[in-house]
């Protein structure tokens, strides 16, 4: 079996009901750089193939619930076409326009981060999108605007400058309007959080509350939309802006907060289970892709121990 066929098989199996049972074998296979590259090619091709899935023939089909052999056959059949469409943006846009039956819409699709995080995606206008693990974004471009909606999770938007077409990101009741800039948006259960790294953006709240509805955010500032209001801006914390990188650098962060920050992009969770509340500060550099190493480093520093749970998580517990 060829490397590409192996990647196809793993792509299908990791979306099947037994994915959790084979994850350890999958991670071992993907640890080989050539395997990881082949798998990433399959993931990227699948995103583009979602345009094809919007055609009249399969528009009402749910690929997520399709039988594995059906999805695998379809993937192999259309993989070459999907890659071709990826290389020819104009063909992708035409296909999307026709399939949705909306002449005013040039491009519409939905993308998601899968096993890998962060996930880097190039948009039709030259803008860049980075998705955190478990995040999902809808993309809709037309002649007048570039509109995206963050459905789940967190994303970083690097916006290509266009004077006539604003770049609009919606998340919950929040809206960010930009032309050429770099910013993060995160959707949580209680708030929409925005951090501006470069340029300037306009933040709006559309929930209908009585609070402040609009804020012009400057580089280095962050804000949130919660309770029907745009909150007062504050400075961006270093840990908040590092999430697209594998290395997390912490400087004097309270241990509970450090664990929470790490878990936002960890492939498996680290649990902090101490019988007594302790005020401990964490400093150092940690690999986001290595939750066991993070847990054991914290445990060794403060005299705790680590328990590996059946669900794959790592718990920091009292040393006794």
């Amino acid at each position: 079996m060829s490397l590409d066929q192996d990647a196809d098989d793993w792509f299908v199996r990791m979306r099947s009901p037994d994915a959790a049972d084979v994850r350890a074998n999958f991670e071992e296979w993907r640890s080989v750089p050539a395997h990881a590259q082949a798998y990433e090619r399959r993931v990227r091709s699948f995103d583009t193939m979602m345009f094809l899935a919007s055609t009249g023939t399969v528009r009402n089909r749910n690929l997520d619930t399709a039988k594995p052999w059906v999805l695998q056959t379809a993937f192999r059949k259309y993989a070459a076409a999907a890659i071709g469409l990826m290389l020819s943006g104009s063909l992708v846009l035409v296909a999307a326009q026709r399939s949705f039956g909306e002449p005013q819409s040039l491009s519409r699709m939905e993308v998601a981060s899968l096993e890998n995080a962060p996930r880097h995606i190039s948009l039709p206008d030259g803008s860049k999108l980075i998705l955190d693990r478990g995040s999902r974004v809808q993309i809709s471009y037309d002649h007048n605007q570039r509109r995206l909606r963050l459905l789940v999770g967190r994303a970083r938007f690097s916006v290509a400058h266009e004077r006539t077409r604003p770049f609009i990101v919606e998340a919950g009741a929040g809206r960010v309007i930009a032309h050429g800039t770099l910013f993060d948006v995160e959707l949580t259960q209680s708030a929409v959080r925005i951090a501006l790294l470069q340029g300037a953006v306009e933040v709006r709240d559309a929930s209908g509350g009585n609070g402040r509805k609009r804020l012009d955010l400057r580089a280095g500032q962050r804000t949130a939309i919660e309770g029907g209001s745009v909150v007062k801006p504050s400075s961006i914390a270093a840990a908040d802006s590092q999430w697209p990188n594998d290395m997390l650098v912490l400087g004097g962060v309270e241990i509970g907060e450090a664990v929470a920050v790490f878990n936002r992009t960890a492939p498996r969770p680290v649990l902090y289970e101490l019988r007594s509340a302790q005020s401990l500060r964490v400093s150092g550099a940690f690999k986001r892709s290595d939750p066991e190493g993070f847990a054991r480093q914290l445990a060794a520093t403060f005299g705790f121990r680590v328990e590996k749970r059946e669900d794959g998580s790592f718990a920091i517990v009292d040393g006794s």
Side-chain angles (χ1 to χ4, degrees):
M1 184 177 292
S2 71
L3 179 56
D4 286 341
Q5 288 176 323
D6 280 345
D8 288 348
D9 290 338
W10 278 118
F11 182 89
V12 173
R13 295 184 71 183
M14 295 312 295
R15 282 149 190 80
S16 66
D18 68 341
D21 298 332
V22 299
R23 177 169 291 279
N25 292 335
F26 168 67
E27 294 295 347
E28 181 180 358
W29 176 84
R30 194 173 59 169
S31 65
V32 178
H35 295 176
Q37 293 172 7
Y39 186 78
E40 178 63 15
R41 288 197 300 270
R42 286 297 172 264
V43 173
R44 292 180 183 275
S45 298
F46 185 78
D47 278 347
T48 303
M49 198 169 64
M50 288 301 95
F51 281 115
L52 298 177
S54 297
T55 62
T57 304
V58 295
R59 187 182 305 169
N60 296 320
R61 296 285 299 276
N62 184 351
L63 294 181
D64 291 334
T65 59
K67 293 180 179 180
W69 68 268
V70 174
L71 180 57
Q72 182 172 352
T73 301
F75 187 91
R76 288 179 177 167
K77 181 178 180 181
Y78 291 112
I83 294 172
L85 289 174
M86 187 190 310
L87 297 175
S88 178
S90 60
L91 293 180
V92 173
L93 300 182
V94 171
Q97 177 181 356
R98 291 178 178 175
S99 64
F100 278 88
E102 297 174 358
Q104 74 278 10
S105 178
L106 291 179
S107 173
R108 176 172 293 185
M109 68 181 297
E110 182 174 312
V111 294
S113 60
L114 301 172
E115 286 80 19
N116 293 334
R119 180 85 191 286
H120 295 255
I121 298 167
S122 296
L123 300 177
D125 63 328
S127 298
K128 305 292 184 181
L129 172 63
I130 305 177
L131 289 180
D132 200 353
R133 177 173 284 104
S135 301
R136 198 164 77 251
V137 171
Q138 286 180 344
I139 304 166
S140 180
Y141 280 23
D142 61 29
H143 290 296
N144 300 315
Q145 62 184 6
R146 300 166 288 172
R147 184 181 295 272
L148 300 90
R149 173 167 284 277
L150 179 64
L151 301 175
V152 180
R154 175 169 51 178
R156 173 164 294 178
F157 303 89
S158 177
V159 182
H161 179 74
E162 286 192 16
R163 186 176 60 181
T164 58
R165 275 202 311 176
F167 189 98
I168 302 170
V169 176
E170 298 174 337
R175 178 178 296 179
V176 181
I177 303 173
H179 286 273
T181 186
L182 180 68
F183 61 96
D184 294 344
V185 179
E186 180 180 10
L187 181 60
T188 70
Q189 291 185 343
S190 60
V192 180
R193 306 190 186 282
I194 301 102
L196 180 61
L197 305 177
Q198 297 176 14
V201 297
E202 177 186 330
V203 178
R204 294 182 183 179
D205 170 57
S207 66
N210 297 319
R212 178 168 49 187
K213 296 298 179 185
R214 181 180 180 277
L215 174 69
D216 291 323
L217 206 61
R218 297 194 302 271
Q221 291 183 328
R222 62 180 177 177
T223 187
I225 300 171
E226 52 188 2
S229 181
V230 181
V231 305
K232 183 178 179 180
S234 60
S235 298
I236 296 175
D240 291 337
S241 62
Q242 297 172 10
W243 65 267
N245 304 315
D246 190 39
M247 295 304 298
L248 172 65
V249 180
L250 300 174
V253 178
E254 192 274 327
I255 188 170
E257 181 182 352
V259 171
V261 169
F262 183 86
N263 282 336
R264 289 166 74 177
T265 52
R268 292 183 297 279
V270 173
L271 308 178
Y272 180 59
E273 299 180 350
L274 300 181
R275 288 191 293 269
S276 60
Q278 301 186 48
S279 179
L280 304 172
R281 299 283 172 175
V282 177
S283 297
F286 309 90
K287 291 187 67 173
R288 297 176 186 274
S289 57
D290 183 15
E292 182 175 9
F294 173 75
R296 294 196 182 282
Q297 191 168 343
L298 262 60
T301 299
F302 299 111
F304 304 133
R305 61 188 178 89
V306 175
E307 292 181 353
K308 185 175 181 179
R309 303 289 169 80
E310 291 184 359
D311 61 0
S313 63
F314 300 92
I316 302 174
V317 299
D318 287 297
S320 57

